[in-house]
């Protein structure tokens, strides 16, 4: 089935950051089926403090094939104000995921998240593309809004094997508190 999540404010109401107790946006497979070809576009997904942030991922995808994340602000309000999630984007078992695309309207801003900006975990993340995305700065790319780690590709917990055939193109990864790009057990990056 196709899922479209477009132009929403998640974790913020009228400019006041409130957050959610779990993920801001969760798209996951269930016994009823897989949410394939999810399109998540034009959303603001934020939290701020431990008591008000999305206490998980801004966007969490699991078991969705061909998901596309385009033009989202994740962890940042108005392109300039830090409003952290724990992780910005987490993809587990999401073959063919596309994070960003050409054109400024499709550029994601993933900054100010506490642990990781973008993480793709597990060996089922095959053929992922991260492009035209800003990780660790404001939208104007003139001030740091650090994530812990910018982009991480690796295993899912203690299960060996990371993503494969991953393309990272035209991405700004700068200003993060730890590693900009961290690759563990990923192949053909």
């Amino acid at each position: 089935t196709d899922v479209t999540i477009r132009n929403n404010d998640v974790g913020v109401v009228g400019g006041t950051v409130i957050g959610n107790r779990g993920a801001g946006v969760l798209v996951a497979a269930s016994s009823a089926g897989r949410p394939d070809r999810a399109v998540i576009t034009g959303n603001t997904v934020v939290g701020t403090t431990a008591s008000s942030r999305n206490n998980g991922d801004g966007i969490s995808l699991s078991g969705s094939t061909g998901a596309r994340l385009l033009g989202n602000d994740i962890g940042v309000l108005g392109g300039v104000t830090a409003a952290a999630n724990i992780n910005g984007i987490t993809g587990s078992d999401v073959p063919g995921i596309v994070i960003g695309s050409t054109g400024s309207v499709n550029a994601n801003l993933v900054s100010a998240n506490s642990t990781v900006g973008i993480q793709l975990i597990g060996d089922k993340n095959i053929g992922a593309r991260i492009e035209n995305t800003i990780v660790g700065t404001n939208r104007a790319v003139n001030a740091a809004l650090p994530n812990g780690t910018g982009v991480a590709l690796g295993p899912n917990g203690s299960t060996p094997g990371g993503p494969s055939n991953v393309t990272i193109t035209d991405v700004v990864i700068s200003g993060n508190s730890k590693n900009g790009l961290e690759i563990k057990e990923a192949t053909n990056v």
Side-chain angles (χ1 to χ4, degrees):
T1 61
D2 293 342
V3 174
T4 300
I5 301 167
R6 178 178 290 127
N7 300 333
N8 297 287
D9 291 333
V10 180
V12 60
V13 177
T16 300
V17 178
I18 298 171
N20 295 285
R21 291 192 179 260
V25 175
L26 171 65
V27 178
S30 69
S31 60
R34 296 173 63 102
D36 291 337
R37 296 174 303 279
V39 176
I40 302 172
T41 182
N43 300 286
T44 297
V45 185
V46 298
T48 52
T49 64
S51 62
S52 67
R53 72 170 52 118
N54 294 312
N55 285 320
D57 304 315
I59 298 176
S60 179
L61 298 126
S62 177
S64 177
T65 300
R68 297 175 54 83
L69 283 70
L70 308 168
N72 298 289
D73 284 1
I74 303 166
V76 180
L77 191 58
V80 296
T81 303
N85 300 290
I86 301 293
N87 298 305
I89 298 169
T90 296
S92 174
D93 186 16
V94 287
I97 187 172
V98 175
I99 300 173
S101 187
T102 57
S104 61
V105 71
N106 292 320
N108 292 297
L109 175 60
V110 186
S111 296
N113 297 289
S114 301
T115 306
V116 180
I118 299 171
Q119 63 178 344
L120 299 178
I121 54 176
D123 62 359
K124 293 186 174 105
N125 283 321
I126 301 167
R129 286 191 354 243
I130 303 171
E131 60 184 273
N132 194 30
T133 291
I134 300 164
V135 182
T137 73
N138 63 4
R139 185 158 292 280
V141 193
N142 61 12
L145 291 175
N147 298 292
T149 295
V151 177
L153 309 175
N156 190 353
S158 62
T159 304
S164 61
N165 302 317
V166 177
T167 301
I168 301 173
T169 307
D170 298 324
V171 175
V172 173
I173 304 173
S174 184
N176 297 289
S177 301
K178 297 180 182 174
N179 298 321
L181 176 59
E182 179 178 290
I183 301 171
K184 296 180 180 177
E185 298 186 37
T187 57
N188 296 324
V189 177

